[in-house]
Amino acid sequence: SSGYRHVDSAANYGNEKEVGEGIAEAIEDGICSREDLFITSKLWNTYHDPEHVEDACKRSLADLGLDYLDLYLIHFPISLKYVPFDVRYPPGWVPDPDISDSMEFAPVPISQTWKAMEKLVDKGLVRNIGLSNWNSQGLRDIFSFARIKPSVLQIEIHPYLQNTRLIEYAHSLGMAVTAFSPLGQGQSYAKLGHGDISALKDDVIVNIAERLGVSCAQVVLRWGMQRGCSVIPKSEHGGRIKENIDLFGFSLSQQDMDEIAGMDQNLRMNDPGYFCPRNFNTQCPIWD
């Protein structure tokens, strides 16, 4: 068997109950203990008001069957109108899709949301708090007032979107950086028109993989690690899961790193500035 011990979850993924069942089964079967696992979840956009933050966290904890989270992230720097759990969960991007397919923003200062996040740490519900999809100015803002500093920045990083300056800035603040979509595979974003994108098929990656005798995925994940990032690939295939973990028996040379650096296209696949106008008739740039 094979598997991961860092589980990256979120309310918006709509599968935390199933993830919780898997965690419980692994612990019950003696595969691991709770202490062996690092479980992340994320505060969704509709729960940014301080009065909803703890309830949202507790809902994720209940669904996951956990007493605490190792890491709780604010999913996006986007505050949307509150949708009660009994109306729809997860609520998605629009308050009432039967009435309108447009988003409705909520005027919640991020400082208020962050203070509520800090209280989750104080109460022992979460061990660490951090940010997802945040830009450099957003980091400067939060670090100016945070009592408990964000410990992790999770952003899209792959050879076609290398985010070098943002990574280096986050590291300078003492943050760990986690790369989502680290393989640069557009299949997860096919509905947004990115289905044909694959960094794994790029000649640069293919040539390095052939020379080192490893897979293209291993090259890209090792590249991410050598840049000081944690990488969270996803796969349903046992063989690929094992392969994605087996990254410590080889390394990339400086020439390899330089060649991959030349692949950067600033190609962002998970971009509210693109998909919100297209899907929800709402302008919502965060990476302008």
Side-chain angles (χ1 to χ4, degrees):
S1 65
S2 59
Y4 301 112
R5 299 196 176 197
H6 178 176
V7 178
D8 183 70
S9 186
N12 190 54
Y13 299 163
N15 63 354
E16 290 195 315
K17 283 187 177 180
E18 291 79 5
V19 171
E21 292 169 1
I23 292 170
E25 183 177 331
I27 293 174
E28 185 177 339
D29 291 347
I31 296 172
C32 61
S33 68
R34 171 64 183 92
E35 292 70 31
D36 293 328
L37 302 175
F38 191 94
I39 311 296
T40 299
S41 188
K42 304 179 188 73
L43 178 75
W44 184 240
N45 305 339
T46 52
Y47 308 129
H48 279 206
D49 191 294
E51 67 175 306
H52 304 309
V53 171
E54 184 173 330
D55 288 343
C57 179
K58 287 181 174 178
R59 173 62 188 260
S60 284
L61 285 170
D63 286 350
L64 291 165
L66 302 175
D67 297 322
Y68 69 92
L69 293 168
D70 296 280
L71 176 63
Y72 198 44
L73 305 174
I74 301 179
H75 206 147
F76 281 98
I78 302 169
S79 300
L80 296 179
K81 182 179 179 180
Y82 174 64
V83 178
F85 295 158
D86 59 356
V87 172
R88 193 171 63 259
Y89 188 89
W93 289 83
V94 299
D96 189 344
D98 293 330
I99 295 177
S100 171
D101 57 2
S102 296
M103 297 157 54
E104 286 188 43
F105 296 104
V108 183
I110 196 61
S111 59
Q112 293 184 10
T113 306
W114 191 254
K115 288 177 182 177
M117 295 282 285
E118 292 172 329
K119 289 180 181 178
L120 301 178
V121 179
D122 296 337
K123 294 183 177 183
L125 296 173
V126 306
R127 300 281 176 87
N128 301 277
I129 47 180
L131 304 163
S132 179
N133 299 295
W134 232 259
N135 64 25
S136 58
Q137 181 53 35
L139 296 182
R140 276 188 287 274
D141 184 28
I142 287 190
F143 270 80
S144 73
F145 57 73
R147 174 172 60 88
I148 300 175
K149 307 299 184 186
S151 60
V152 175
L153 173 65
Q154 185 180 125
I155 51 175
E156 180 182 345
I157 304 171
H158 45 75
Y160 290 151
L161 179 68
Q162 301 194 12
N163 267 314
T164 301
R165 287 181 294 185
L166 182 53
I167 293 170
E168 291 176 350
Y169 181 59
H171 283 160
S172 78
L173 296 173
M175 300 181 76
V177 177
T178 299
F180 72 77
S181 300
L183 297 175
Q185 291 281 73
Q187 294 172 349
S188 298
Y189 306 98
K191 291 182 180 179
L192 300 179
H194 301 311
D196 293 334
I197 296 170
S198 176
L200 303 186
K201 296 178 181 178
D202 193 286
D203 287 345
V204 171
I205 301 300
V206 171
N207 292 337
I208 294 173
E210 289 178 351
R211 179 169 50 78
L212 294 176
V214 297
S215 73
C216 292
Q218 286 174 307
V219 170
V220 172
L221 294 175
R222 179 71 199 190
W223 168 80
M225 288 176 54
Q226 286 188 207
R227 299 176 82 222
C229 301
S230 59
V231 291
I232 47 172
K234 61 180 180 180
S235 178
E236 300 175 0
H237 305 281
R240 290 178 185 170
I241 291 173
K242 287 183 179 180
E243 183 181 278
N244 291 345
I245 296 171
D246 185 17
L247 304 175
F248 301 96
F250 71 100
S251 62
L252 303 181
S253 67
Q254 187 58 52
Q255 181 177 343
D256 295 333
M257 298 294 288
D258 291 343
E259 289 181 2
I260 298 175
M263 292 173 57
D264 196 5
Q265 301 175 19
N266 196 35
L267 176 58
R268 192 181 306 277
M269 293 183 279
N270 188 347
D271 185 359
Y274 171 73
F275 66 73
C276 288
R278 174 176 169 150
N279 294 348
F280 310 120
N281 299 307
T282 308
Q283 296 296 327
C284 190
I286 63 173
W287 298 109
D288 50 313

